[in-house]
Amino acid sequence: MLPEEQISPELNDLLRSIRKQIRRFVVMDAFLAILGLFSAAFWLGYLIDYTPVRFGGTEMPHLARLLFLCVSAAMLCVLVAKSLIGRLKRPLPDASLALLIERLHPELGGRLTTAVELLSRDREIEDYSKSLLAQVHQQAQSLITSVDSNRLFRRETLVRKSLVTGPLLAATVGLFLFDPSTFALAAKRLTLLSDNPWPRRADITMVGIELPAVLASGDLSEKTELIEFEEQVARLPVGSSSTLRIKADATAAELPNLCT
């Protein structure tokens, strides 16, 4: 048995460098995917929650936001487990790296693979010619200077993910910098840290419900009785003729012409 250290330092350095580059590529690829998913989930939830408010509707209820948060968290966990942790746990033996290099550099002619496999710890050398192995090893060592490690990676993958993730992330950072209150409220609502509603363009408050006072004779008086809301509920007599009274702040918000 020949120890692994008998592989020349140049070959060891090449294989070690490529292994590190592969790990780095996996981390960058997964990082872009995670950022893209995070930004997309934020903007999708923000639009679903806030868009109805702009058209007079209401926000997503608590249950809907809970389901959205659970689905987003599950997708994020699956992405981290498969794209990052799972890929980083895969072994990268020297023989596989040597084969990958030779596929893109046919000029090596199998010398690198032969040298790596025969000098590995799991290989015995008694049945092979030591002089021939030394020659192959020397030839592989002299040819690795032509190896271009950049050819081993598909940079287009990172470029495509950057084109999707970049604008989403830039929009998220821009919202955080230029409108931090909106960003904070959106983040708190989507993470269920707050149920505060989105601010409306008009500041309207329901004062109560007015009912005409009934005289002893059964006739309606010109005076009215105001029934206020208790926990957003007002109890009225059956068949009564009531009027909803509201007030709007005309100084700090937009004054509406019509309330529905």
Side-chain angles (χ1 to χ4, degrees):
M1 300 288 291
L2 290 177
E4 188 179 15
E5 284 74 15
Q6 289 192 9
I7 299 178
S8 67
E10 291 80 6
L11 293 182
N12 267 329
D13 291 342
L14 174 64
L15 297 175
R16 190 181 301 111
S17 174
I18 291 178
R19 185 179 291 107
K20 289 182 179 180
Q21 291 183 53
I22 292 176
R23 303 292 190 192
R24 192 180 304 115
F25 184 88
V26 168
V27 171
M28 292 177 60
D29 183 74
F31 186 67
L32 287 174
I34 292 171
L35 283 180
L37 177 60
F38 177 80
S39 301
F42 172 80
W43 281 104
L44 180 61
Y46 169 67
L47 292 176
I48 294 176
D49 190 40
Y50 182 63
T51 301
V53 176
R54 297 289 298 176
F55 294 94
T58 57
E59 302 87 347
M60 278 196 300
H62 185 89
L63 179 59
R65 286 182 284 125
L66 175 61
L67 294 176
F68 183 84
L69 179 62
C70 292
V71 171
S72 301
M75 293 177 61
L76 184 61
C77 291
V78 171
L79 183 62
V80 171
K82 288 188 174 182
S83 298
L84 184 60
I85 300 177
R87 293 166 70 184
L88 289 178
K89 282 187 175 181
R90 294 178 184 175
L92 295 174
D94 290 345
S96 299
L97 296 178
L99 182 60
L100 175 63
I101 294 172
E102 289 197 346
R103 285 181 178 178
L104 298 176
H105 294 82
E107 65 273 9
L108 294 176
R111 297 178 181 87
L112 180 59
T113 303
T114 302
V116 170
E117 288 187 350
L118 295 184
L119 291 176
S120 64
R121 293 178 179 176
D122 298 329
R123 296 280 183 172
E124 294 186 358
I125 200 64
E126 284 78 2
D127 298 332
Y128 300 96
S129 170
K130 293 184 179 181
S131 61
L132 179 60
L133 176 58
Q135 182 180 359
V136 171
H137 185 260
Q138 184 177 3
Q139 291 175 355
Q141 181 179 344
S142 62
L143 290 173
I144 61 174
T145 55
S146 63
V147 173
D148 183 10
S149 59
N150 292 326
R151 294 177 57 186
L152 302 177
F153 306 97
R154 295 180 179 178
R155 304 291 179 181
E156 297 81 5
T157 303
L158 298 181
V159 172
R160 286 195 297 268
K161 289 186 177 180
S162 298
L163 292 177
V164 176
T165 303
L168 289 174
L169 185 60
T172 305
V173 174
L175 181 63
F176 172 76
L177 294 177
F178 297 103
D179 196 352
S181 59
T182 299
F183 178 86
L185 182 56
K188 289 180 180 179
R189 286 185 56 82
L190 293 178
T191 55
L192 305 182
L193 296 178
S194 173
D195 289 328
N196 292 334
W198 286 100
R200 266 57 175 179
R201 290 182 299 171
D203 184 5
I204 302 176
T205 304
M206 291 189 296
V207 178
I209 297 179
E210 285 186 352
L211 292 177
V214 180
L215 302 176
S217 61
D219 297 330
L220 297 178
S221 171
E222 294 182 356
K223 297 182 178 180
T224 58
E225 177 186 2
L226 181 65
I227 300 178
E228 298 181 352
F229 290 93
E230 296 181 2
E231 297 182 357
Q232 300 182 353
V233 176
R235 299 184 181 278
L236 306 177
V238 177
S240 61
S241 177
S242 58
T243 302
L244 175 63
R245 294 299 180 185
I246 64 173
K247 65 178 180 179
D249 186 358
T251 59
E254 179 180 337
L255 185 62
N257 295 323
L258 176 66
C259 292
T260 302

